[in-house]
Each structure stands twice: as C-alpha cells, then as structure tokens.
C-alpha cells in the first residue's frame, strides 16, 4: 500500500490504450490535473463506461489530436486548442476520435483525491491484470473496494448512487477477504492539507 507517487510518472492502461502522465501536485485541494495520451481507438473513463463524478467538475483541454466527449448522450468533438467541461454529476465518457494519438489535460475541480484514484486504477491494470477482464473491465469486487475506499469520486451512471454506496460498502470487506488490495491508498481527511504527496 502506497501513499506516495513519483512525480513525472507515466502509466499505461493497455486495456484501453490510455497513458496517464502525472506531473503536477498529487494532493492539491483546489485542482487535480494530469496529462492523458489516448492512442488511436483508445477510450477513457473506465473503458468508455458511462459514469459520473458527483463531487467535482471535469475539464478536458486538448493539446493535439481530437477526442469525443459524450455528456448526457450528446457527443462533442474537441480538437487541439479546444476544451470542454463536464459539470459534476453529469453522465459522460470520452474516447479518441482521430486517426492518431490524442494528447490532452484533464482537470478536476475541486481536486478531492482524483489523482490518487486514477493512479490507483491504472497501477492495478499493470500489477494485477488478472483482476480485469480481457476488455479491461475491473472485477466487481475490485470496483466495490476502490469505489468504497474513494467514496464520492466516481459512480456508474444509471444506477442510483445511494444503492451503489450500499452495495460497495457490503462488498468491499469481501473484496479484501478475497485478496484484493489497493495499489495507492487515499489520504485521511485530516492529511489533505495541500502537501505534494510525491516521492522525492
């Protein structure tokens, strides 16, 4: 279990052809910001599962290539130099919409612990690929453990959040009994005071 993460780390999720580039502060109260490189045919946001972030707005700022961001079922194409913001609580997903790589910056406001949340998931795809299906979907027990531990960061769209919270609270202890573990632990609420959280 880690509570630190090396600055400048690049982690690739081979399942959905998405590379995260962590170059800013890991634990900043105001904004969580990281780079994403999405290869041709790649998808983001839980392998293109429609999801919501109930406690933060999410912004995509495209540096090169083109992405599509689908919000409430409506598709928006965003080219280099453009940006789009998904208001908190709105169902969405995103994918590469071009012929090459798409590079963009993702920001969450407020930050919560989104950097730790995403770094945790992508690290697990590398270290524990057996916990994911061939399509990259995490095992339900893993979902329960991660989404219960990082409460109010992400939920699946279409299922009441209160029900997901209840189910994840029930199944998270079962996940631990079955051997599932987080790669990166969240900070306690008392510790989220804007420290960097990066290993030297």
């Amino acid at each position: 279990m880690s509570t630190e993460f090396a600055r400048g780390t690049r982690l690739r999720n081979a399942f959905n052809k998405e590379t995260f580039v962590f170059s800013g502060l890991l634990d900043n109260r105001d904004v969580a910001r990281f780079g994403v490189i999405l290869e041709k045919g790649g998808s983001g946001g839980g392998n293109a599962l429609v999801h919501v972030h109930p406690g933060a707005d999410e912004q995509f700022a495209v540096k090169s290539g083109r992405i599509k961001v689908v919000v409430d079922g409506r598709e928006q194409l965003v080219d280099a130099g453009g940006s789009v913001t998904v208001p908190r609580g709105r169902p969405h997903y995103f994918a590469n919409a071009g012929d090459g790589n798409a590079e963009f910056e993702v920001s969450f406001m407020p930050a919560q612990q989104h950097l730790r949340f995403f770094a945790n998931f992508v690290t697990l795809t590398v270290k524990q690929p057996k916990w994911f299906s061939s399509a990259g979907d995490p095992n339900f027990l893993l979902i329960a453990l991660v989404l219960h531990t990082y409460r109010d960061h992400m939920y699946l769209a279409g299922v009441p959040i209160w029900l997901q919270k209840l189910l994840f609270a029930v199944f998270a202890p079962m996940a631990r009994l079955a051997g599932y573990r987080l790669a990166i632990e969240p900070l306690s609420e008392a510790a989220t005071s804007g420290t960097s959280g990066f290993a030297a």
Side-chain angles (χ1 to χ4, degrees), residues 98-110:
D99 293 327
N101 288 355
E103 296 190 34
F104 51 99
E105 188 174 74
V106 178
S107 303
F108 287 93
M109 298 156 288

Side-chain angles (χ1 to χ4, degrees), residues 43-67:
S43 62
N47 300 308
L49 294 174
V50 183
H51 63 278
V52 299
H53 302 288
D57 301 325
E58 182 177 15
Q59 183 183 69
F60 300 86
V62 180
K63 296 181 177 180
S64 65
R66 168 185 281 188
I67 64 171

Side-chain angles (χ1 to χ4, degrees), residues 76-188:
Q76 301 178 58
L77 294 176
V78 189
D79 292 300
S83 66
V84 62
T85 298
V86 180
R88 66 194 69 188
R90 301 282 289 278
H92 67 284
Y93 74 92
F94 60 95
N96 188 335
D99 293 327
N101 288 355
E103 296 190 34
F104 51 99
E105 188 174 74
V106 178
S107 303
F108 287 93
M109 298 156 288
Q112 296 180 289
Q113 294 194 51
H114 277 95
L115 286 182
R116 288 178 179 272
F117 173 79
F118 285 106
N120 175 74
F121 249 129
V122 70
T123 299
L124 289 175
T125 67
V126 175
K127 292 187 174 182
Q128 299 290 349
K130 64 187 179 191
W131 293 352
F132 297 79
S133 74
S134 59
D137 299 320
N139 178 284
F140 176 76
L141 287 178
L142 178 60
I143 291 175
L145 176 61
V146 175
L147 298 192
H148 177 68
T149 305
Y150 285 93
R151 285 183 287 280
D152 296 321
H153 282 66
M154 188 176 87
Y155 294 98
L156 302 177
V159 180
I161 289 177
W162 68 265
L163 179 58
Q164 293 185 63
K165 286 185 174 182
L166 177 62
L167 288 173
F168 298 154
V170 169
F171 283 98
M174 297 182 189
R176 289 193 179 275
L177 285 174
Y180 291 93
R181 295 291 184 271
L182 298 180
I184 298 171
E185 292 285 348
L187 291 179
S188 66

Side-chain angles (χ1 to χ4, degrees), residues 18 71 179 189 192 195:
E18 182 179 27
V71 184
E189 289 299 319
T192 54
T195 56

Side-chain angles (χ1 to χ4, degrees), residues 16-38:
N16 62 357
K17 303 178 182 178
E18 182 179 27
T19 297
F20 291 86
V21 183
F22 298 98
S23 57
L25 292 177
L26 187 60
D27 301 308
N28 181 312
R29 285 189 174 189
D30 299 323
V31 60
R33 182 173 290 125
F34 53 89
V36 173
I37 301 170
L38 207 53

